[in-house]
mmCIF file of all heavy atoms in Angstrom:
data_model
loop_
_atom_site.group_PDB
_atom_site.id
_atom_site.type_symbol
_atom_site.label_atom_id
_atom_site.label_comp_id
_atom_site.label_asym_id
_atom_site.label_seq_id
_atom_site.Cartn_x
_atom_site.Cartn_y
_atom_site.Cartn_z
ATOM 1 N N ASP A 25 70.688 -94.723 76.212
ATOM 2 C CA ASP A 25 70.451 -93.284 76.168
ATOM 3 C C ASP A 25 69.164 -93.040 75.390
ATOM 4 O O ASP A 25 68.725 -93.896 74.611
ATOM 5 C CB ASP A 25 71.612 -92.567 75.476
ATOM 6 C CG ASP A 25 72.876 -92.580 76.320
ATOM 7 O OD1 ASP A 25 72.747 -92.513 77.561
ATOM 8 O OD2 ASP A 25 73.978 -92.663 75.749
ATOM 9 N N VAL A 26 68.574 -91.876 75.593
ATOM 10 C CA VAL A 26 67.409 -91.463 74.805
ATOM 11 C C VAL A 26 67.737 -90.084 74.239
ATOM 12 O O VAL A 26 67.851 -89.110 74.980
ATOM 13 C CB VAL A 26 66.119 -91.405 75.651
ATOM 14 C CG1 VAL A 26 64.928 -91.038 74.783
ATOM 15 C CG2 VAL A 26 65.873 -92.748 76.347
ATOM 16 N N ARG A 27 67.904 -90.011 72.928
ATOM 17 C CA ARG A 27 68.346 -88.779 72.272
ATOM 18 C C ARG A 27 67.248 -88.199 71.389
ATOM 19 O O ARG A 27 66.276 -88.868 71.042
ATOM 20 C CB ARG A 27 69.593 -89.052 71.425
ATOM 21 C CG ARG A 27 70.782 -89.554 72.222
ATOM 22 C CD ARG A 27 71.213 -88.560 73.268
ATOM 23 N NE ARG A 27 72.390 -88.966 74.008
ATOM 24 C CZ ARG A 27 72.653 -88.592 75.251
ATOM 25 N NH1 ARG A 27 71.790 -87.818 75.901
ATOM 26 N NH2 ARG A 27 73.743 -88.998 75.852
ATOM 27 N N ASN A 28 67.440 -86.944 71.014
ATOM 28 C CA ASN A 28 66.544 -86.248 70.088
ATOM 29 C C ASN A 28 65.083 -86.318 70.545
ATOM 30 O O ASN A 28 64.182 -86.669 69.791
ATOM 31 C CB ASN A 28 66.696 -86.828 68.677
ATOM 32 C CG ASN A 28 66.108 -85.925 67.606
ATOM 33 O OD1 ASN A 28 65.711 -84.782 67.876
ATOM 34 N ND2 ASN A 28 66.030 -86.432 66.384
ATOM 35 N N VAL A 29 64.869 -85.974 71.823
ATOM 36 C CA VAL A 29 63.532 -86.036 72.411
ATOM 37 C C VAL A 29 62.695 -84.835 71.971
ATOM 38 O O VAL A 29 63.167 -83.699 71.960
ATOM 39 C CB VAL A 29 63.622 -86.070 73.951
ATOM 40 C CG1 VAL A 29 62.240 -85.972 74.585
ATOM 41 C CG2 VAL A 29 64.334 -87.338 74.411
ATOM 42 N N PHE A 30 61.445 -85.105 71.611
ATOM 43 C CA PHE A 30 60.467 -84.045 71.323
ATOM 44 C C PHE A 30 59.284 -84.282 72.247
ATOM 45 O O PHE A 30 58.518 -85.224 72.061
ATOM 46 C CB PHE A 30 60.020 -84.088 69.859
ATOM 47 C CG PHE A 30 59.063 -82.980 69.503
ATOM 48 C CD1 PHE A 30 59.527 -81.734 69.126
ATOM 49 C CD2 PHE A 30 57.687 -83.185 69.531
ATOM 50 C CE1 PHE A 30 58.647 -80.704 68.799
ATOM 51 C CE2 PHE A 30 56.800 -82.175 69.213
ATOM 52 C CZ PHE A 30 57.284 -80.927 68.837
ATOM 53 N N ASP A 31 59.155 -83.418 73.260
ATOM 54 C CA ASP A 31 58.107 -83.578 74.268
ATOM 55 C C ASP A 31 56.918 -82.700 73.885
ATOM 56 O O ASP A 31 57.047 -81.475 73.809
ATOM 57 C CB ASP A 31 58.641 -83.194 75.647
ATOM 58 C CG ASP A 31 57.702 -83.594 76.777
ATOM 59 O OD1 ASP A 31 56.499 -83.296 76.674
ATOM 60 O OD2 ASP A 31 58.174 -84.191 77.760
ATOM 61 N N THR A 32 55.765 -83.319 73.681
ATOM 62 C CA THR A 32 54.598 -82.555 73.231
ATOM 63 C C THR A 32 54.088 -81.599 74.304
ATOM 64 O O THR A 32 53.481 -80.574 73.978
ATOM 65 C CB THR A 32 53.467 -83.504 72.787
ATOM 66 O OG1 THR A 32 53.155 -84.412 73.857
ATOM 67 C CG2 THR A 32 53.890 -84.308 71.566
ATOM 68 N N GLN A 33 54.320 -81.898 75.574
ATOM 69 C CA GLN A 33 53.914 -80.957 76.625
ATOM 70 C C GLN A 33 54.786 -79.707 76.580
ATOM 71 O O GLN A 33 54.286 -78.580 76.716
ATOM 72 C CB GLN A 33 53.999 -81.608 77.997
ATOM 73 C CG GLN A 33 53.392 -80.755 79.108
ATOM 74 C CD GLN A 33 53.434 -81.451 80.453
ATOM 75 O OE1 GLN A 33 54.508 -81.608 81.047
ATOM 76 N NE2 GLN A 33 52.287 -81.882 80.940
ATOM 77 N N VAL A 34 56.074 -79.882 76.364
ATOM 78 C CA VAL A 34 56.976 -78.743 76.210
ATOM 79 C C VAL A 34 56.594 -77.930 74.972
ATOM 80 O O VAL A 34 56.520 -76.693 75.009
ATOM 81 C CB VAL A 34 58.440 -79.220 76.106
ATOM 82 C CG1 VAL A 34 59.366 -78.056 75.740
ATOM 83 C CG2 VAL A 34 58.890 -79.860 77.417
ATOM 84 N N ALA A 35 56.335 -78.632 73.875
ATOM 85 C CA ALA A 35 55.948 -77.957 72.635
ATOM 86 C C ALA A 35 54.674 -77.143 72.825
ATOM 87 O O ALA A 35 54.559 -76.009 72.345
ATOM 88 C CB ALA A 35 55.759 -78.979 71.516
ATOM 89 N N ALA A 36 53.711 -77.706 73.538
ATOM 90 C CA ALA A 36 52.449 -77.008 73.781
ATOM 91 C C ALA A 36 52.678 -75.707 74.535
ATOM 92 O O ALA A 36 52.014 -74.688 74.282
ATOM 93 C CB ALA A 36 51.497 -77.909 74.561
ATOM 94 N N GLY A 37 53.628 -75.714 75.466
ATOM 95 C CA GLY A 37 53.935 -74.510 76.213
ATOM 96 C C GLY A 37 54.439 -73.394 75.319
ATOM 97 O O GLY A 37 54.064 -72.223 75.493
ATOM 98 N N PHE A 38 55.261 -73.720 74.345
ATOM 99 C CA PHE A 38 55.797 -72.707 73.430
ATOM 100 C C PHE A 38 54.748 -72.225 72.435
ATOM 101 O O PHE A 38 54.960 -71.221 71.754
ATOM 102 C CB PHE A 38 57.011 -73.261 72.686
ATOM 103 C CG PHE A 38 58.274 -73.230 73.498
ATOM 104 C CD1 PHE A 38 58.733 -74.369 74.139
ATOM 105 C CD2 PHE A 38 58.997 -72.060 73.653
ATOM 106 C CE1 PHE A 38 59.889 -74.342 74.904
ATOM 107 C CE2 PHE A 38 60.158 -72.020 74.410
ATOM 108 C CZ PHE A 38 60.603 -73.174 75.040
ATOM 109 N N LEU A 39 53.632 -72.926 72.360
ATOM 110 C CA LEU A 39 52.540 -72.513 71.470
ATOM 111 C C LEU A 39 51.403 -71.836 72.225
ATOM 112 O O LEU A 39 50.358 -71.539 71.635
ATOM 113 C CB LEU A 39 52.000 -73.733 70.710
ATOM 114 C CG LEU A 39 52.951 -74.329 69.672
ATOM 115 C CD1 LEU A 39 52.442 -75.679 69.187
ATOM 116 C CD2 LEU A 39 53.117 -73.377 68.482
ATOM 117 N N GLY A 40 51.604 -71.611 73.521
ATOM 118 C CA GLY A 40 50.571 -70.950 74.306
ATOM 119 C C GLY A 40 49.398 -71.834 74.660
ATOM 120 O O GLY A 40 48.315 -71.341 74.989
ATOM 121 N N LEU A 41 49.601 -73.149 74.631
ATOM 122 C CA LEU A 41 48.517 -74.086 74.947
ATOM 123 C C LEU A 41 48.551 -74.550 76.403
ATOM 124 O O LEU A 41 47.781 -75.428 76.783
ATOM 125 C CB LEU A 41 48.597 -75.307 74.010
ATOM 126 C CG LEU A 41 48.367 -75.014 72.530
ATOM 127 C CD1 LEU A 41 48.690 -76.239 71.679
ATOM 128 C CD2 LEU A 41 46.939 -74.576 72.285
ATOM 129 N N GLY A 42 49.436 -73.971 77.186
ATOM 130 C CA GLY A 42 49.543 -74.351 78.593
ATOM 131 C C GLY A 42 50.849 -75.061 78.860
ATOM 132 O O GLY A 42 51.247 -75.945 78.086
ATOM 133 N N ASN A 43 51.517 -74.702 79.953
ATOM 134 C CA ASN A 43 52.824 -75.278 80.263
ATOM 135 C C ASN A 43 52.741 -76.694 80.825
ATOM 136 O O ASN A 43 53.702 -77.449 80.738
ATOM 137 C CB ASN A 43 53.561 -74.384 81.261
ATOM 138 C CG ASN A 43 53.970 -73.058 80.656
ATOM 139 O OD1 ASN A 43 54.241 -72.978 79.466
ATOM 140 N ND2 ASN A 43 53.995 -72.017 81.470
ATOM 141 N N GLN A 44 51.599 -77.049 81.418
ATOM 142 C CA GLN A 44 51.434 -78.367 82.025
ATOM 143 C C GLN A 44 50.212 -79.069 81.454
ATOM 144 O O GLN A 44 49.503 -79.772 82.168
ATOM 145 C CB GLN A 44 51.303 -78.228 83.554
ATOM 146 C CG GLN A 44 52.501 -77.598 84.236
ATOM 147 C CD GLN A 44 53.731 -78.472 84.160
ATOM 148 O OE1 GLN A 44 53.647 -79.696 84.242
ATOM 149 N NE2 GLN A 44 54.885 -77.856 83.978
ATOM 150 N N GLU A 45 49.967 -78.898 80.172
ATOM 151 C CA GLU A 45 48.759 -79.437 79.553
ATOM 152 C C GLU A 45 48.784 -80.969 79.564
ATOM 153 O O GLU A 45 49.766 -81.601 79.172
ATOM 154 C CB GLU A 45 48.647 -78.939 78.116
ATOM 155 C CG GLU A 45 47.286 -79.144 77.496
ATOM 156 C CD GLU A 45 46.223 -78.231 78.104
ATOM 157 O OE1 GLU A 45 46.582 -77.244 78.769
ATOM 158 O OE2 GLU A 45 45.036 -78.529 77.900
ATOM 159 N N GLY A 46 47.697 -81.566 80.021
ATOM 160 C CA GLY A 46 47.585 -83.022 80.047
ATOM 161 C C GLY A 46 47.415 -83.589 78.655
ATOM 162 O O GLY A 46 46.994 -82.897 77.715
ATOM 163 N N TYR A 47 47.721 -84.870 78.509
ATOM 164 C CA TYR A 47 47.696 -85.503 77.190
ATOM 165 C C TYR A 47 46.296 -85.524 76.591
ATOM 166 O O TYR A 47 46.094 -85.144 75.431
ATOM 167 C CB TYR A 47 48.249 -86.922 77.303
ATOM 168 C CG TYR A 47 48.310 -87.653 75.986
ATOM 169 C CD1 TYR A 47 49.192 -87.245 74.987
ATOM 170 C CD2 TYR A 47 47.491 -88.745 75.726
ATOM 171 C CE1 TYR A 47 49.246 -87.900 73.772
ATOM 172 C CE2 TYR A 47 47.543 -89.413 74.517
ATOM 173 C CZ TYR A 47 48.424 -88.985 73.546
ATOM 174 O OH TYR A 47 48.480 -89.628 72.344
ATOM 175 N N GLU A 48 45.327 -85.962 77.367
ATOM 176 C CA GLU A 48 43.958 -86.066 76.850
ATOM 177 C C GLU A 48 43.438 -84.710 76.396
ATOM 178 O O GLU A 48 42.837 -84.585 75.318
ATOM 179 C CB GLU A 48 43.049 -86.646 77.935
ATOM 180 C CG GLU A 48 41.626 -86.902 77.476
ATOM 181 C CD GLU A 48 40.777 -87.566 78.548
ATOM 182 O OE1 GLU A 48 41.353 -88.026 79.552
ATOM 183 O OE2 GLU A 48 39.548 -87.616 78.379
ATOM 184 N N SER A 49 43.694 -83.682 77.190
ATOM 185 C CA SER A 49 43.249 -82.333 76.845
ATOM 186 C C SER A 49 43.947 -81.827 75.594
ATOM 187 O O SER A 49 43.324 -81.207 74.724
ATOM 188 C CB SER A 49 43.520 -81.391 78.017
ATOM 189 O OG SER A 49 43.262 -80.051 77.661
ATOM 190 N N LEU A 50 45.232 -82.097 75.475
ATOM 191 C CA LEU A 50 46.001 -81.625 74.326
ATOM 192 C C LEU A 50 45.556 -82.313 73.036
ATOM 193 O O LEU A 50 45.437 -81.666 71.977
ATOM 194 C CB LEU A 50 47.490 -81.867 74.576
ATOM 195 C CG LEU A 50 48.478 -81.089 73.703
ATOM 196 C CD1 LEU A 50 48.242 -79.588 73.793
ATOM 197 C CD2 LEU A 50 49.909 -81.433 74.109
ATOM 198 N N VAL A 51 45.304 -83.613 73.115
ATOM 199 C CA VAL A 51 44.807 -84.336 71.937
ATOM 200 C C VAL A 51 43.466 -83.761 71.479
ATOM 201 O O VAL A 51 43.216 -83.598 70.287
ATOM 202 C CB VAL A 51 44.672 -85.846 72.262
ATOM 203 C CG1 VAL A 51 43.850 -86.567 71.203
ATOM 204 C CG2 VAL A 51 46.051 -86.482 72.373
ATOM 205 N N ARG A 52 42.620 -83.438 72.447
ATOM 206 C CA ARG A 52 41.310 -82.868 72.107
ATOM 207 C C ARG A 52 41.454 -81.486 71.458
ATOM 208 O O ARG A 52 40.794 -81.183 70.472
ATOM 209 C CB ARG A 52 40.447 -82.776 73.360
ATOM 210 C CG ARG A 52 39.017 -82.321 73.089
ATOM 211 C CD ARG A 52 38.140 -82.401 74.324
ATOM 212 N NE ARG A 52 38.563 -81.467 75.356
ATOM 213 C CZ ARG A 52 39.182 -81.798 76.486
ATOM 214 N NH1 ARG A 52 39.453 -83.066 76.729
ATOM 215 N NH2 ARG A 52 39.523 -80.894 77.366
ATOM 216 N N LYS A 53 42.333 -80.654 71.977
ATOM 217 C CA LYS A 53 42.513 -79.305 71.460
ATOM 218 C C LYS A 53 43.178 -79.283 70.092
ATOM 219 O O LYS A 53 42.800 -78.505 69.213
ATOM 220 C CB LYS A 53 43.367 -78.468 72.429
ATOM 221 C CG LYS A 53 42.677 -78.069 73.712
ATOM 222 C CD LYS A 53 43.627 -77.249 74.578
ATOM 223 C CE LYS A 53 42.969 -76.803 75.868
ATOM 224 N NZ LYS A 53 43.917 -76.026 76.727
ATOM 225 N N VAL A 54 44.190 -80.126 69.919
ATOM 226 C CA VAL A 54 45.018 -80.060 68.710
ATOM 227 C C VAL A 54 44.505 -80.968 67.605
ATOM 228 O O VAL A 54 44.438 -80.577 66.436
ATOM 229 C CB VAL A 54 46.486 -80.402 69.050
ATOM 230 C CG1 VAL A 54 47.345 -80.439 67.785
ATOM 231 C CG2 VAL A 54 47.053 -79.383 70.039
ATOM 232 N N LEU A 55 44.141 -82.208 67.960
ATOM 233 C CA LEU A 55 43.720 -83.179 66.951
ATOM 234 C C LEU A 55 42.205 -83.303 66.825
ATOM 235 O O LEU A 55 41.711 -84.002 65.944
ATOM 236 C CB LEU A 55 44.306 -84.559 67.280
ATOM 237 C CG LEU A 55 45.834 -84.658 67.349
ATOM 238 C CD1 LEU A 55 46.248 -86.086 67.678
ATOM 239 C CD2 LEU A 55 46.486 -84.192 66.052
ATOM 240 N N ARG A 56 41.478 -82.642 67.730
ATOM 241 C CA ARG A 56 40.010 -82.720 67.746
ATOM 242 C C ARG A 56 39.532 -84.159 67.927
ATOM 243 O O ARG A 56 38.551 -84.596 67.317
ATOM 244 C CB ARG A 56 39.412 -82.136 66.455
ATOM 245 C CG ARG A 56 39.893 -80.753 66.109
ATOM 246 C CD ARG A 56 39.481 -79.746 67.151
ATOM 247 N NE ARG A 56 39.931 -78.393 66.824
ATOM 248 C CZ ARG A 56 39.881 -77.355 67.646
ATOM 249 N NH1 ARG A 56 39.409 -77.524 68.873
ATOM 250 N NH2 ARG A 56 40.305 -76.174 67.272
ATOM 251 N N VAL A 57 40.235 -84.891 68.763
ATOM 252 C CA VAL A 57 39.889 -86.284 69.035
ATOM 253 C C VAL A 57 39.643 -86.428 70.531
ATOM 254 O O VAL A 57 40.442 -85.950 71.347
ATOM 255 C CB VAL A 57 41.014 -87.248 68.602
ATOM 256 C CG1 VAL A 57 40.696 -88.675 69.036
ATOM 257 C CG2 VAL A 57 41.230 -87.174 67.102
ATOM 258 N N ARG A 58 38.546 -87.077 70.877
ATOM 259 C CA ARG A 58 38.255 -87.372 72.280
ATOM 260 C C ARG A 58 38.687 -88.804 72.586
ATOM 261 O O ARG A 58 38.193 -89.745 71.968
ATOM 262 C CB ARG A 58 36.764 -87.195 72.580
ATOM 263 C CG ARG A 58 36.328 -85.744 72.661
ATOM 264 C CD ARG A 58 34.897 -85.615 73.181
ATOM 265 N NE ARG A 58 34.535 -84.224 73.369
ATOM 266 C CZ ARG A 58 34.773 -83.522 74.471
ATOM 267 N NH1 ARG A 58 35.381 -84.121 75.488
ATOM 268 N NH2 ARG A 58 34.418 -82.259 74.564
ATOM 269 N N LEU A 59 39.604 -88.936 73.528
ATOM 270 C CA LEU A 59 40.052 -90.261 73.912
ATOM 271 C C LEU A 59 38.956 -90.992 74.669
ATOM 272 O O LEU A 59 38.160 -90.381 75.377
ATOM 273 C CB LEU A 59 41.302 -90.161 74.793
ATOM 274 C CG LEU A 59 42.566 -89.665 74.092
ATOM 275 C CD1 LEU A 59 43.658 -89.407 75.106
ATOM 276 C CD2 LEU A 59 43.039 -90.684 73.066
ATOM 277 N N LYS A 60 38.933 -92.311 74.519
ATOM 278 C CA LYS A 60 37.953 -93.124 75.229
ATOM 279 C C LYS A 60 38.332 -93.209 76.703
ATOM 280 O O LYS A 60 39.356 -92.706 77.129
ATOM 281 C CB LYS A 60 37.879 -94.517 74.601
ATOM 282 C CG LYS A 60 37.391 -94.487 73.150
ATOM 283 C CD LYS A 60 37.376 -95.862 72.542
ATOM 284 C CE LYS A 60 36.919 -95.805 71.078
ATOM 285 N NZ LYS A 60 36.951 -97.145 70.451
ATOM 286 N N GLY A 61 37.504 -93.882 77.484
ATOM 287 C CA GLY A 61 37.681 -93.961 78.932
ATOM 288 C C GLY A 61 39.116 -94.259 79.337
ATOM 289 O O GLY A 61 39.784 -95.091 78.738
ATOM 290 N N SER A 62 39.575 -93.576 80.362
ATOM 291 C CA SER A 62 40.960 -93.703 80.801
ATOM 292 C C SER A 62 41.181 -94.975 81.608
ATOM 293 O O SER A 62 40.395 -95.321 82.477
ATOM 294 C CB SER A 62 41.348 -92.483 81.628
ATOM 295 O OG SER A 62 42.647 -92.640 82.163
ATOM 296 N N GLU A 63 42.292 -95.637 81.302
ATOM 297 C CA GLU A 63 42.715 -96.810 82.072
ATOM 298 C C GLU A 63 44.039 -96.510 82.770
ATOM 299 O O GLU A 63 44.708 -97.417 83.270
ATOM 300 C CB GLU A 63 42.902 -98.017 81.134
ATOM 301 C CG GLU A 63 41.647 -98.467 80.427
ATOM 302 C CD GLU A 63 40.678 -99.158 81.359
ATOM 303 O OE1 GLU A 63 41.130 -99.889 82.264
ATOM 304 O OE2 GLU A 63 39.457 -98.959 81.209
ATOM 305 N N GLY A 64 44.412 -95.230 82.804
ATOM 306 C CA GLY A 64 45.751 -94.865 83.244
ATOM 307 C C GLY A 64 46.107 -95.299 84.647
ATOM 308 O O GLY A 64 47.284 -95.538 84.956
ATOM 309 N N PHE A 65 45.127 -95.408 85.546
ATOM 310 C CA PHE A 65 45.436 -95.729 86.932
ATOM 311 C C PHE A 65 45.031 -97.154 87.302
ATOM 312 O O PHE A 65 44.797 -97.460 88.468
ATOM 313 C CB PHE A 65 44.762 -94.715 87.862
ATOM 314 C CG PHE A 65 45.386 -93.355 87.771
ATOM 315 C CD1 PHE A 65 44.818 -92.380 86.975
ATOM 316 C CD2 PHE A 65 46.562 -93.065 88.446
ATOM 317 C CE1 PHE A 65 45.397 -91.119 86.872
ATOM 318 C CE2 PHE A 65 47.152 -91.815 88.352
ATOM 319 C CZ PHE A 65 46.565 -90.836 87.564
ATOM 320 N N THR A 66 44.955 -98.023 86.310
ATOM 321 C CA THR A 66 44.693 -99.427 86.596
ATOM 322 C C THR A 66 45.994 -100.136 86.967
ATOM 323 O O THR A 66 47.085 -99.563 86.862
ATOM 324 C CB THR A 66 44.048 -100.118 85.383
ATOM 325 O OG1 THR A 66 44.919 -99.986 84.247
ATOM 326 C CG2 THR A 66 42.712 -99.498 85.041
ATOM 327 N N ARG A 67 45.908 -101.393 87.370
ATOM 328 C CA ARG A 67 47.076 -102.159 87.790
ATOM 329 C C ARG A 67 47.786 -102.717 86.564
ATOM 330 O O ARG A 67 47.483 -103.804 86.084
ATOM 331 C CB ARG A 67 46.649 -103.283 88.741
ATOM 332 C CG ARG A 67 46.237 -102.813 90.114
ATOM 333 C CD ARG A 67 47.428 -102.238 90.899
ATOM 334 N NE ARG A 67 48.515 -103.197 91.037
ATOM 335 C CZ ARG A 67 48.616 -104.065 92.039
ATOM 336 N NH1 ARG A 67 47.703 -104.075 92.998
ATOM 337 N NH2 ARG A 67 49.634 -104.897 92.108
ATOM 338 N N TRP A 68 48.760 -101.970 86.076
ATOM 339 C CA TRP A 68 49.480 -102.375 84.874
ATOM 340 C C TRP A 68 50.427 -103.550 85.126
ATOM 341 O O TRP A 68 50.914 -104.163 84.181
ATOM 342 C CB TRP A 68 50.264 -101.200 84.312
ATOM 343 C CG TRP A 68 49.388 -100.119 83.780
ATOM 344 C CD1 TRP A 68 49.116 -98.913 84.362
ATOM 345 C CD2 TRP A 68 48.633 -100.142 82.562
ATOM 346 N NE1 TRP A 68 48.244 -98.187 83.575
ATOM 347 C CE2 TRP A 68 47.937 -98.919 82.466
ATOM 348 C CE3 TRP A 68 48.473 -101.081 81.534
ATOM 349 C CZ2 TRP A 68 47.102 -98.609 81.398
ATOM 350 C CZ3 TRP A 68 47.656 -100.777 80.476
ATOM 351 C CH2 TRP A 68 46.985 -99.556 80.408
ATOM 352 N N ASP A 69 50.691 -103.863 86.393
ATOM 353 C CA ASP A 69 51.605 -104.964 86.694
ATOM 354 C C ASP A 69 50.890 -106.303 86.809
ATOM 355 O O ASP A 69 51.529 -107.326 87.024
ATOM 356 C CB ASP A 69 52.384 -104.678 87.981
ATOM 357 C CG ASP A 69 51.478 -104.377 89.169
ATOM 358 O OD1 ASP A 69 50.300 -104.029 88.953
ATOM 359 O OD2 ASP A 69 51.953 -104.485 90.313
ATOM 360 N N ARG A 70 49.562 -106.309 86.672
ATOM 361 C CA ARG A 70 48.812 -107.559 86.737
ATOM 362 C C ARG A 70 48.608 -108.140 85.349
ATOM 363 O O ARG A 70 48.399 -107.423 84.383
ATOM 364 C CB ARG A 70 47.459 -107.338 87.420
ATOM 365 C CG ARG A 70 47.564 -107.089 88.920
ATOM 366 C CD ARG A 70 46.197 -106.989 89.559
ATOM 367 N NE ARG A 70 46.288 -106.854 91.011
ATOM 368 C CZ ARG A 70 45.256 -106.627 91.801
ATOM 369 N NH1 ARG A 70 44.037 -106.500 91.267
ATOM 370 N NH2 ARG A 70 45.423 -106.522 93.099
ATOM 371 N N ARG A 71 48.651 -109.462 85.273
ATOM 372 C CA ARG A 71 48.412 -110.157 84.017
ATOM 373 C C ARG A 71 47.309 -111.186 84.220
ATOM 374 O O ARG A 71 47.228 -111.767 85.298
ATOM 375 C CB ARG A 71 49.698 -110.840 83.514
ATOM 376 C CG ARG A 71 50.842 -109.872 83.195
ATOM 377 C CD ARG A 71 50.461 -108.962 82.030
ATOM 378 N NE ARG A 71 51.533 -108.045 81.653
ATOM 379 C CZ ARG A 71 51.708 -106.844 82.175
ATOM 380 N NH1 ARG A 71 50.898 -106.405 83.127
ATOM 381 N NH2 ARG A 71 52.686 -106.066 81.758
ATOM 382 N N PRO A 72 46.420 -111.438 83.242
ATOM 383 C CA PRO A 72 46.451 -110.828 81.913
ATOM 384 C C PRO A 72 45.895 -109.407 81.905
ATOM 385 O O PRO A 72 45.080 -109.044 82.756
ATOM 386 C CB PRO A 72 45.550 -111.767 81.095
ATOM 387 C CG PRO A 72 44.557 -112.282 82.099
ATOM 388 C CD PRO A 72 45.335 -112.443 83.383
#
C-alpha cells in the first residue's frame, strides 16, 4: 500500500499555481531552480 500521499501537483492547484502544473515548471516557480536537460523520455529499460 502507499499511504499518507502528498502530491505536489495537487498542492499547487490549491495554491493557484495551476491544476496540471508540470514538475520542471513548478520547481522553477517555487524553488527558483532551473532543472538541467531532461532525460525523461530516454530508454530507462536499457542498461547501462
Side-chain angles (χ1 to χ4, degrees):
D25 290 326
V26 183
R27 299 300 183 208
N28 196 8
V29 173
F30 183 85
D31 191 311
T32 55
Q33 189 177 71
V34 172
F38 280 100
L39 291 169
L41 295 171
N43 291 329
Q44 299 293 323
E45 194 70 16
Y47 182 68
E48 185 176 348
S49 172
L50 198 56
V51 166
R52 186 173 66 253
K53 288 180 179 179
V54 176
L55 301 180
R56 308 296 180 190
V57 174
R58 285 189 175 273
L59 292 171
K60 297 178 181 178
S62 175
E63 297 288 323
F65 290 98
T66 58
R67 288 293 303 271
W68 293 105
D69 55 341
R70 288 185 176 174
R71 297 295 182 271

